[in-house]
Amino acid sequence: LKVHTRKLTLADPATIDVVATLTAGQSGAELAALVNEAAIRTVRRQADSLTTEDFIDAFKTSTEARGQSGTIAANMFKNAVGLK
């Protein structure tokens, strides 16, 4: 995960630890897709750094693409980072 985010600016570097915990067992390609989706969301917001919300939205999208409930996964992510 650190490899895929090394050239990106993170609003809160601690978010990576939470993302790593919640994505345990995913392949490098899945992690790359998650980081790319978060980066796309950052560009759409015309922001300079990836935020926790960017990762939450990307996580939701990636879990829905795998046929899982994106809302449940996103809520787990929010709880893990202390958001409501």
Side-chain angles (χ1 to χ4, degrees):
L1 194 55
K2 288 183 180 181
V3 169
H4 297 301
T5 59
R6 70 177 178 255
K7 294 182 181 180
L8 303 173
T9 304
L10 304 174
D12 181 9
T15 301
I16 289 301
D17 295 331
V18 176
V19 173
T21 301
L22 292 174
T23 57
Q26 290 190 356
S27 70
E30 290 170 322
L31 295 175
L34 177 68
V35 172
N36 287 338
E37 183 65 31
I40 289 168
R41 292 175 184 285
T42 302
V43 170
R44 286 182 184 157
R45 288 187 305 106
Q46 299 178 346
D48 295 330
S49 60
L50 278 80
T51 63
T52 302
E53 289 79 15
D54 294 323
F55 279 106
I56 290 170
D57 291 342
F59 192 70
K60 183 177 177 180
T61 300
S62 70
T63 54
E64 287 173 347
R66 291 193 319 258
Q68 300 171 350
S69 174
T71 303
I72 292 171
N75 287 338
M76 285 177 20
F77 192 101
K78 287 180 185 179
N79 289 336
V81 296
L83 296 176
K84 296 197 180 220

